[in-house]
């Protein structure tokens, strides 16, 4: 899951915490011992966090290389640096940046967010809506004891937005928060 | 056609005023206490002048309207919920007398749609109600032309007051209470704006749309409705940072009706500004159609009423 800091609640101004995104990178490796390890070290060295590796044995490219799919997380502004570092290390990067989650939705929550334990709200959304919180902006113009608003960008699997929104609605009504959902469907989403 | 108009408010008066332009005669006009009835056509200018001067419309009782020689009853009395009376009884009387009815009053079509259709089936007259949804915007006739079966959903903004408030909040960074007071000063919001801001008025219109799509089955209690009273300026600010804004959006499908504040793209078609309304009709074979325009106002609504009158077959 993404590292979401609750620190912005201490600020009076809206801000994003930077967030972390999931990415999929497709690499082609030479079939040599130690090659996988060598290929992956630039990820961690440049602020990425390795999530999983899909390595299909027996599946060989026409040039005799082994295709490998790597899922990783990183702050969006560091992702390009990771890809560059992989290329600098001589790794053949076929495709980068295809996101792990198929859809992104934003919702705005309104209410006594801090009093209702914002970090608990976020982790419940991640668990119950099967989502990853990509970033959070909080606006508390009257201080964090008063009604405040938060915009949350969520990554969810394709086709699951209705179910995810239903789960968020349920959490919202339990915590007496107004949930402003995106309008999906039609040309308007 | 010969029109009998029940209700001499903004809508009823405008229908009377514009009827001649559309080639129709007015044989009766009533408000809550009096009526003027003349089978050869009432003196419209005189009646409107008396109404403006707070005088009686005429020497007849409102009930006498039903004895006039009319083809079409125009129902423009206040919208009421639940049993939708007295509007529902007015429609019943006209249909039982084998006359047509055109409604501006949303109550009967939202709350008792199946009963109205059953009465219509036993009558030589028929009912039309374009004016109940989106004022001057041709929404129901667009659905009728696309055939309701080919329409999968209708979405949009059908309350000008709520839209005006959200637009001003976003543009000026002001809070709800402040903008509501401003809207009341401008006459955009009524003294009691409850039904506009709590979503009820928009919900009635989307319930009517769902009834048209599904051929009945819905009333207000089937709708999930949330208003805009809890939306602070800060929520609109956050939406704007992301290229979005918040609008009071309704959705009607064959599965249900929902009205509530929603995030929409700031430059998208549904983010109309001010008191403007918009409806997006999603079709099975032809993508989405959008119509926008003035969703309320006397002459605007009267135009929809008179277009309906023009679509009625001769009796
Ligand atoms: N205004 C719009 O933009 C708009 C748009 C779409 C639909 N509509 C609907 O159209 C209808 C009329 O709207 P409006 O704005 O004209 O309302 P309005 O200004 O409140 O006028 C209502 C009129 O109905 C009369 N009335 C009340 N009870 C009656 C009764 N039992 N018999 C005969 N007349 C009766 C009232 O009489 P008094 O004058 O004696 O009070 C008044 O003249 C409402 O149902 C409204 O929801 C309005």
């Amino acid at each position: 899951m993404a590292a979401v800091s609750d620190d912005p609640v201490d600020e009076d101004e809206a801000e994003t915490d930077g967030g972390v995104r999931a990415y999929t990178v497709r690499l082609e490796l030479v079939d040599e011992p130690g090659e996988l390890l060598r290929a992956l070290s630039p990820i961690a060295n440049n602020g990425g966090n390795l999530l999983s590796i899909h390595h299909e044995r027996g599946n060989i490219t026409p040039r005799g290389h082994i295709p490998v799919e790597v899922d990783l997380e990183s702050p969006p502004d560091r992702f390009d640096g990771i890809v560059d570092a992989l290329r600098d290390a001589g790794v053949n990067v076929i495709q980068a940046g295809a996101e792990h989650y198929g859809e992104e939705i934003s919702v705005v929550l309104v209410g006594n967010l801090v009093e209702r334990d914002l970090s608990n709200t976020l982790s419940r959304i991640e668990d119950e809506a099967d989502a990853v919180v990509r970033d959070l902006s909080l606006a508390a113009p009257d201080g964090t004891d008063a009604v405040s608003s938060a915009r949350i960008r969520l990554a969810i699997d394709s086709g699951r937005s209705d179910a995810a929104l239903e789960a968020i609605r349920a959490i919202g009504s339990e915590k007496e928060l107004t949930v402003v959902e995106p309008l999906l469907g039609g040309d308007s989403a | 056609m010969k029109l009998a108009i029940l209700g001499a408010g903004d809508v009823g008066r405008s229908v009377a005023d514009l009827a001649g332009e559309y080639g129709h005669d007015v044989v009766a006009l009533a408000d809550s206490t009096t009526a003027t009835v003349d089978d050869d056509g009432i003196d419209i200018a005189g009646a409107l002048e008396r109404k403006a001067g707070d005088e009686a419309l005429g020497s007849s009782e409102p009930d006498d309207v039903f004895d006039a020689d009319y083809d079409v009853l125009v129902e423009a009395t206040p919208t009421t919920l639940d049993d939708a009376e007295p509007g529902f009884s007015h429609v019943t009387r006209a249909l039982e007398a084998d006359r047509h009815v055109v409604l501006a009053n949303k109550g009967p079509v939202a709350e008792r749609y199946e009963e109205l259709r059953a009465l219509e089936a036993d009558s030589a007259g028929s009912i039309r109600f374009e004016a109940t949804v989106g004022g001057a915007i041709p929404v129901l006739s667009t659905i009728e032309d696309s055939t309701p079966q080919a329409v999968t959903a209708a979405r949009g903004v059908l309350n000008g007051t709520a839209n005006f408030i959200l637009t001003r909040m976003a543009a000026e960074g002001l809070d709800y209470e402040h903008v509501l007071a401003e809207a009341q000063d401008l006459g955009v919001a009524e003294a009691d704006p409850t039904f506009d801001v709590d979503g009820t008025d928009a919900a009635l219109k989307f319930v009517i749309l769902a009834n048209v799509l599904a051929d009945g089955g819905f009333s207000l209690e089937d709708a999930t409705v949330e208003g805009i009273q809890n939306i602070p300026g800060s929520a609109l600010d956050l939406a704007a940072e992301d290229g979005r804004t918040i609008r009071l959006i309704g959705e009607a499908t064959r599965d249900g009706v929902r009205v509530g504040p929603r995030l929409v793209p700031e430059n998208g078609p549904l983010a109309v500004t001010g008191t403007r309304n918009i409806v997006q009709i999603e079709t099975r074979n032809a993508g989405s159609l959008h119509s926008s325009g003035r969703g309320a106002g006397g002459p605007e609504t009267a135009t929809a009423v008179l277009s309906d009158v023009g679509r009625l077959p001769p009796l």
Side-chain angles (χ1 to χ4, degrees):
Chain A
M1 89 157 226
V4 172
S5 106
D6 289 339
D7 289 345
V9 301
D10 295 323
E11 313 279 338
D12 264 358
E13 275 184 26
E15 69 168 58
T16 63
D17 66 352
V20 169
R21 284 196 188 204
Y23 296 93
T24 301
V25 183
R26 286 178 61 99
L27 313 172
E28 281 186 2
L29 302 182
V30 191
D31 194 5
E32 273 174 22
E35 176 67 9
L36 186 62
L37 212 59
R38 186 182 76 79
L40 299 181
S41 58
I43 296 176
N45 294 343
N46 289 277
N49 180 26
L50 200 59
L51 294 174
S52 64
I53 303 166
H54 309 280
H55 183 177
E56 278 184 55
R57 288 224 155 268
N59 188 356
I60 303 227
T61 71
R63 277 181 295 169
H65 294 176
I66 303 170
V68 175
E69 238 183 42
V70 177
D71 289 338
L72 61 91
E73 283 179 331
S74 82
D77 54 351
R78 303 207 57 175
F79 180 67
D80 285 348
I82 292 172
V83 174
D84 289 346
L86 285 167
R87 291 196 165 126
D88 288 347
V91 177
N92 195 8
V93 181
I94 303 301
Q95 195 191 354
E99 302 228 7
H100 184 62
Y101 288 89
E103 284 179 31
E104 267 196 3
I105 52 172
S106 291
V107 297
V108 171
L109 303 180
V110 178
N112 290 313
L113 294 169
V114 176
E115 184 186 304
R116 301 284 169 171
D117 193 349
L118 184 56
S119 65
N120 170 270
T121 304
L122 296 179
S123 55
R124 282 193 57 190
I125 288 176
E126 294 204 315
D127 289 349
E128 293 165 37
D130 234 332
V132 172
V133 175
R134 286 280 170 79
D135 68 43
L136 164 73
S137 293
L138 189 85
D142 304 317
T144 50
D145 303 340
V147 167
S148 52
S149 306
R151 187 185 73 241
I152 302 169
R153 201 155 49 84
L154 295 166
I156 49 176
D157 283 335
S158 298
R160 288 209 68 259
S161 45
D162 284 337
L165 287 169
E166 199 177 314
I168 297 168
R169 271 203 297 281
I171 297 166
S173 72
E174 207 180 296
K175 293 195 170 219
E176 293 174 43
L177 304 176
T178 299
V179 180
V180 182
E181 297 173 36
L183 182 68
L184 306 173
D187 307 334
S188 47
Chain B
M1 295 266 196
K2 292 180 185 169
L3 311 185
I5 304 169
L6 282 184
D10 289 337
V11 176
R13 292 197 312 271
S14 290
V15 172
D17 190 30
L18 298 174
E21 231 177 87
Y22 287 73
H24 306 297
D25 302 317
V26 179
V27 295
L29 175 65
D31 60 18
S32 63
T33 50
T34 64
T36 168
V37 181
D38 187 336
D39 287 347
D40 295 325
I42 63 165
D43 167 17
I44 296 168
L48 294 182
E49 215 166 280
R50 285 192 294 281
K51 186 69 190 164
D54 264 337
E55 293 170 47
L57 279 173
S59 52
S60 306
E61 301 280 314
D63 227 41
D64 297 337
V65 167
F66 292 96
D67 300 325
D69 179 22
Y70 69 95
D71 302 307
V72 184
L73 183 80
V74 174
E75 222 300 338
T77 68
T79 291
T80 55
L81 306 183
D82 303 318
D83 67 2
E85 291 294 3
F88 185 83
S89 293
H90 295 156
V91 182
T92 305
R93 282 177 79 173
L95 286 175
E96 282 175 354
D98 288 324
R99 310 295 166 82
H100 294 305
V101 183
V102 171
L103 294 104
N105 178 354
K106 299 175 270 285
V109 228
E111 299 287 50
R112 302 178 71 176
Y113 188 86
E114 304 79 22
E115 291 172 76
L116 281 189
R117 287 302 190 192
L119 286 163
E120 184 190 38
D122 289 337
S123 171
S126 36
I127 55 169
R128 300 194 64 90
F129 43 91
E130 178 72 79
T132 60
V133 180
I137 309 171
V139 181
L140 299 178
S141 54
T142 304
I143 293 178
E144 193 174 10
D145 290 347
S146 322
T147 76
Q149 293 76 14
V151 174
T152 46
R155 303 188 178 84
V157 172
L158 285 177
N159 186 279
T161 304
N163 203 68
F164 176 89
I165 291 172
L166 291 172
T167 306
R168 292 288 295 165
M169 285 173 69
E172 307 297 325
L174 296 169
D175 259 315
Y176 171 78
E177 306 293 340
H178 189 114
V179 176
L180 174 59
E182 179 199 55
Q184 284 170 323
D185 289 344
L186 288 171
V188 169
E190 291 174 36
D192 179 4
T194 310
F195 283 174
D196 293 315
V197 298
D198 77 0
T200 303
D201 174 71
L204 286 170
K205 295 165 185 170
F206 282 96
V207 165
I208 293 170
L209 282 165
N211 278 332
V212 169
L213 294 183
D215 197 20
F218 297 95
S219 67
L220 187 59
E221 67 173 17
D222 302 308
T224 306
V225 187
E226 216 183 306
I228 61 165
Q229 310 96 309
N230 293 332
I231 304 296
S234 60
L236 285 147
D237 291 344
L238 287 178
E241 279 174 23
D242 205 22
R244 283 157 222 250
T245 190
I246 298 173
R247 288 290 182 266
L248 183 64
I249 302 279
E251 287 182 277
T253 66
R254 287 177 185 77
D255 299 323
V257 175
R258 203 175 146 196
V259 171
R262 306 288 282 271
L263 287 168
V264 295
E266 211 166 12
N267 299 316
L270 296 187
V272 288
T273 57
T275 56
R276 228 175 156 72
N277 287 17
I278 183 154
V279 178
Q280 175 193 67
I281 293 168
E282 186 184 276
T283 68
R284 210 184 297 289
N285 307 316
S288 293
L289 310 170
H290 293 91
S291 322
S292 84
R294 296 192 191 165
E300 290 84 352
T301 309
T303 321
V305 168
L306 290 162
S307 309
D308 268 352
V309 171
R311 290 190 183 95
L312 288 166
L315 279 173

